Amino acid sequence: MDNKFNKNKNILVNMMRTFYQTKQANLFGEKTLEQKYLELINGEYNFSNEIEVLDRIDWDFKDFTTQYLTHTFHSYPARFIPQIPLTFVKLFTKEKETVLDPMCGCGTTLVEAFLNNRNSIGNDFNPLATLITKVKTTLIDEKEFRYFNRKLAVMKRYLDLDYRRVDERINNLPNRKISKIFNRVVISKLEAIRETLLEVKEEGHKDLFDFGRVALSSTIWSLVENGNGIDVDNLFLKKVKSMQKELNKMAKIAKNVPEVKVICGDARKLEIKTNSIDLIVTSPPYVNALDYYRAHMYNMLWLGMDFDLFRKHEIGGHSHFIINRFRLLSEYLGDMLRSMIEMNRVLKKDKLCVIVVGNSSLEYELIESHKFFAEMGKKIGFKPIKTIFRNIDKTRKYTSADIGKIDDEYILVMQKLDNTDVSADDDNFISEVVREQMISFREQIKKVQGTSIRGRKPTKERLLKNIDKISEAIESIPKDIKIKR
Ligand SMILES: C[S@@+](CC[C@H](N)C(=O)[O-])C[C@H]1O[C@@H](n2cnc3c(N)ncnc32)[C@H](O)[C@@H]1O
């Protein structure tokens, strides 16, 4: 009886796995592009073949399903599509090996590692990012969900009677700023939800507390995007229901639940053991592209998260060096070099480090970050193996055109050849490499100015000033690359 049950369960699990990893089969029996892709990455290859397989993939992944299972939990700016980490996880790791994303954002890499039975570590300085990542990779059993649903049913029953406490609630808000953007009804309801979640935590259900906070955060995000006129409690309850459904599906797909560790920390100083990682897949922030704390300011405030520390250490944030934007570039290159030294340290020898990044622009000049990273890699024990170009969906909201519009992406694949002998704190080494890179960037700009003019036409004099600005930025490298304490 037990055997029969297990056999049926396995069949069901396999059917579900196939269903969620592929789109429904074409009615005429023809394979979809997505099915062909899955066949390719599920094949057995040896190392050099796997690198060749990379050439047979259409990296644009046009019309592929990217929103499934826990990937649907929460929006996050500039996340990459799951097929990027999935490809490398499948081709370059075995079950139970460990995959790292040192700037994991909302945990796309970790979810794909989880679904394919790989252990994973995610690190990000943004506390909202690590909360979302943890919740997307933590299974919760049915009994716990039944307790949670009872709790929410009681909350819903008394919610409308509860408006009398609105003044008290406004006074108790975790931050006064948030009382300015929502009306009184919305504030009262959001606070009632937050209070219920705090009770859940006090009653000892920490995973449910985090699960509920992600649903609340996502609800607040929708309100900020769509305005006050929405039915808050129903929006929240609907979100909870759909998240439960996706997590239950994921529980059925995950074979033996792999280990997951999520760290809220700095990529320039990873709290991870040396030579312990089998694969890194990550996408760092773009220089000057967007401030992550700004994108989620209201949800973070409501969850009582302190984003000041994150703002101070955020890589690529565009709120500093307003007068000379090229100083931002040296700071960014310094931060990325430190992060790459750390990636090299934690990765095992011969394993791959995959960095996904787009071009950006500063003062009308094109910044090809992947080229800077490949050059840095060579100095710290990595061998660049290939750079894959992909078009990305231009309708995705990355950043404003003024800051640097991003419509293509590069996947830099490097192999760790040696342990680097430099440390991420070595300011002299960092200064030296950044200086070399900034000088060669200036030489390039001297030949042609305005390499990234989009729309507006600056004068020639204005563009020539960039050369002086870069020279000035080079002078202040030793100061600008220092980590702010
Ligand atoms: C492009 S996003 C990563 C998105 C991710 N690949 C995903 O799919 O969700 C870049 C991430 O770098 C993080 N970050 C910025 N500065 C950091 C730092 N000093 N240490 C760790 N993470 C940092 C940001 O918080 C952001 O989540």
Side-chain angles (χ1 to χ4, degrees), residues 324-371:
N324 181 350
R325 306 304 271 163
F326 294 104
R327 290 178 65 186
L328 193 67
L329 178 61
S330 353
E331 182 193 53
Y332 175 74
L333 295 175
D335 285 343
M336 282 307 299
L337 179 56
R338 289 183 208 275
S339 307
M340 284 173 61
I341 292 173
E342 280 293 85
M343 292 185 216
N344 174 289
R345 178 182 67 76
V346 299
L347 197 61
K348 291 180 189 164
K349 193 166 173 316
D350 296 330
K351 301 291 182 178
L352 293 192
C353 173
V354 180
I355 303 184
V356 183
V357 69
N359 290 338
S360 27
S361 67
L362 277 178
E363 307 286 7
Y364 310 101
E365 305 299 352
L366 181 69
I367 312 293
E368 295 175 291
S369 300
H370 67 101
K371 292 191 178 163

Side-chain angles (χ1 to χ4, degrees), residues 336-448:
M336 282 307 299
L337 179 56
R338 289 183 208 275
S339 307
M340 284 173 61
I341 292 173
E342 280 293 85
M343 292 185 216
N344 174 289
R345 178 182 67 76
V346 299
L347 197 61
K348 291 180 189 164
K349 193 166 173 316
D350 296 330
K351 301 291 182 178
L352 293 192
C353 173
V354 180
I355 303 184
V356 183
V357 69
N359 290 338
S360 27
S361 67
L362 277 178
E363 307 286 7
Y364 310 101
E365 305 299 352
L366 181 69
I367 312 293
E368 295 175 291
S369 300
H370 67 101
K371 292 191 178 163
F372 287 104
F373 298 167
E375 285 310 308
M376 284 176 187
K378 288 187 210 159
K379 293 181 192 297
I380 56 168
F382 283 121
K383 175 181 159 200
I385 291 187
K386 62 166 50 244
T387 303
I388 301 159
F389 166 82
R390 64 180 294 266
N391 292 299
I392 59 174
D393 180 354
K394 293 192 177 100
T395 56
R396 277 167 71 183
K397 211 163 66 179
Y398 273 94
T399 173
S400 92
D402 287 348
I403 295 167
K405 197 158 152 270
I406 296 156
D407 45 26
D408 47 16
E409 207 165 56
Y410 296 83
I411 304 173
L412 171 64
V413 185
M414 297 184 291
Q415 185 178 20
K416 172 171 166 178
L417 294 187
D418 298 306
N419 283 328
T420 174
D421 48 11
V422 282
S423 118
D425 316 315
D426 187 340
D427 284 0
N428 289 336
F429 175 77
I430 307 286
S431 284
E432 204 181 293
V433 176
V434 173
R435 192 179 147 75
E436 209 175 278
Q437 296 207 315
M438 290 292 283
I439 290 175
S440 85
F441 176 60
R442 184 178 57 189
E443 292 316 300
Q444 205 181 299
I445 303 295
K446 275 184 186 165
K447 285 187 213 138
V448 197

